[in-house]
Amino acid sequence: LDDPQPWLRHAEADPDPAALGLNSRHLAYVIYTSGSTGTPKGVMIEHSSVMNFLCAMREILGGTGALLAITSISFDISGLELYLPLTTGGQVTLTSRDDKADPDALQHMLLKHDIRLMQATPAVWQSLINQGWPGSPNLTLLCGGEALTIQLSENLISRSIQLWNLYGPTETTIWSTCLYVRSSSTTNSSNYQPIGRPILNTRIYLLDSYGQPVPLGAVGEMYIGGAGVARGYLDRPELTAERFLPDPFCGELGARMYRTGDLARYLPDGNLEFLGRNDHQVKIRGFRIELGEIEARLAEHPLVESAVVGARED
């Protein structure tokens, strides 16, 4: 960047997007996510979806201050880390591959750069706690990518100023719901924090196998509609048609929703409770049984850390 030579052949003024025929429906990026068949799927995300997400996060978090970016650009959460501070007048501190895997190095960076915002998976936050991290009273924590346990959330609340639990698949642009975690005083009966409510311009539907809304409190598959829904999968029209469906509920022409394959239910306070996947449905004596629901129920026991349920004949 200090060498002027590579830049001399470029224009001094910013390019005019309108003159180039660009608009918000053009792609911001294509990012690959794992597939059940073992073949990665390229998710096509448009500029408007990214901007909606950034506006939603700005509305939720306000100013970001200094953010510590620990996510590889191979993951869509890096979009939050790199772009959100640019929309709020904040700054980004980048970590190296070695530092992000070292709890001691992360603690040092949090202190050295006076970091005010950081996002990580529960596993990363737990590794910091295990290493004796005392926390920071000025730090806002974002937690996503895995289910957040009540126990971990209590430990994090005591070490920070704010804790947010976030949920969302890549296909609906980074995150789709959020919950401001205050304490364990939740109506959720499990060992995990709820995933909250939809962010700006996002709709969540809990539907049964016939595509109809389930009653409040009942378990349904999550479908996500709104501004964050991706264009589809790159060069995978059949898979796109299978997972991205017309949205019959919002009344908008051409509106679509993404079928997540995740199970959830609404709690009495209006927050969503994540209950696992629907990929392992079985039939027992004519009854369709969702093994994910049983696994979630078993995991509520204090002596059960995780559970796997299968059906067998004996």
Side-chain angles (χ1 to χ4, degrees), residues 51-259:
M51 283 307 304
N52 181 78
F53 170 75
L54 294 175
C55 289
M57 289 296 100
R58 185 172 60 191
E59 180 182 86
I60 292 167
L61 300 172
T64 59
L67 181 149
L68 186 63
I70 68 169
T71 306
S72 163
I73 59 171
S74 297
F75 295 93
D76 61 351
I77 296 175
S78 62
L80 168 108
E81 295 178 334
L82 299 178
Y83 304 142
L84 181 61
L86 300 181
T87 70
T88 60
Q91 74 179 55
V92 181
T93 298
L94 303 177
T95 55
S96 69
R97 183 190 299 270
D98 292 336
D99 285 344
K100 69 180 65 174
D102 183 349
D104 288 330
L106 285 179
Q107 290 189 54
H108 174 72
M109 296 192 74
L110 286 170
L111 181 63
K112 176 183 177 181
H113 299 284
D114 191 24
I115 299 299
R116 300 302 176 94
L117 180 66
M118 175 176 158
Q119 78 76 32
T121 63
V124 172
W125 292 121
Q126 188 63 60
S127 70
L128 282 168
I129 292 174
N130 293 345
Q131 205 66 16
W133 176 54
S136 171
N138 297 319
L139 183 62
T140 295
L141 311 182
L142 306 181
C143 195
E146 301 168 352
L148 174 62
T149 65
I150 298 291
Q151 180 180 4
L152 178 57
S153 67
E154 290 291 339
N155 287 331
L156 292 174
I157 289 172
S158 67
R159 289 169 165 82
S160 65
I161 186 174
Q162 282 188 341
L163 171 63
W164 293 87
N165 190 29
L166 301 119
Y167 159 86
T170 300
E171 288 85 348
T172 56
T173 311
I174 307 179
W175 287 324
S176 298
T177 72
C178 70
L179 174 75
Y180 175 39
V181 184
R182 293 175 173 83
S183 71
S184 60
S185 57
T186 171
T187 54
N188 187 2
S189 60
S190 76
N191 291 328
Y192 299 95
Q193 288 288 354
I195 58 174
R197 303 174 186 233
I199 65 171
L200 181 72
N201 296 318
T202 300
R203 300 181 294 272
I204 303 290
Y205 308 119
L206 299 185
L207 307 181
D208 61 20
S209 59
Y210 299 99
Q212 297 300 311
V214 299
L216 291 177
V219 176
E221 181 178 354
M222 268 197 289
Y223 290 69
I224 302 177
V229 178
R231 184 186 297 179
Y233 297 116
L234 180 65
D235 297 330
R236 303 283 294 275
E238 297 84 3
L239 188 59
T240 296
E242 176 186 332
R243 307 303 293 188
F244 293 88
L245 308 174
D247 184 344
F249 304 106
C250 72
E252 296 177 9
L253 185 64
R256 298 174 307 129
M257 58 184 183
Y258 172 69
R259 183 178 185 178

Side-chain angles (χ1 to χ4, degrees), residues 189-190 265 275 291-301 307:
S189 60
S190 76
R265 65 182 173 189
L275 295 171
L291 300 183
E293 296 178 26
I294 304 172
E295 292 169 353
R297 186 64 174 170
L298 289 173
E300 294 174 5
H301 194 283

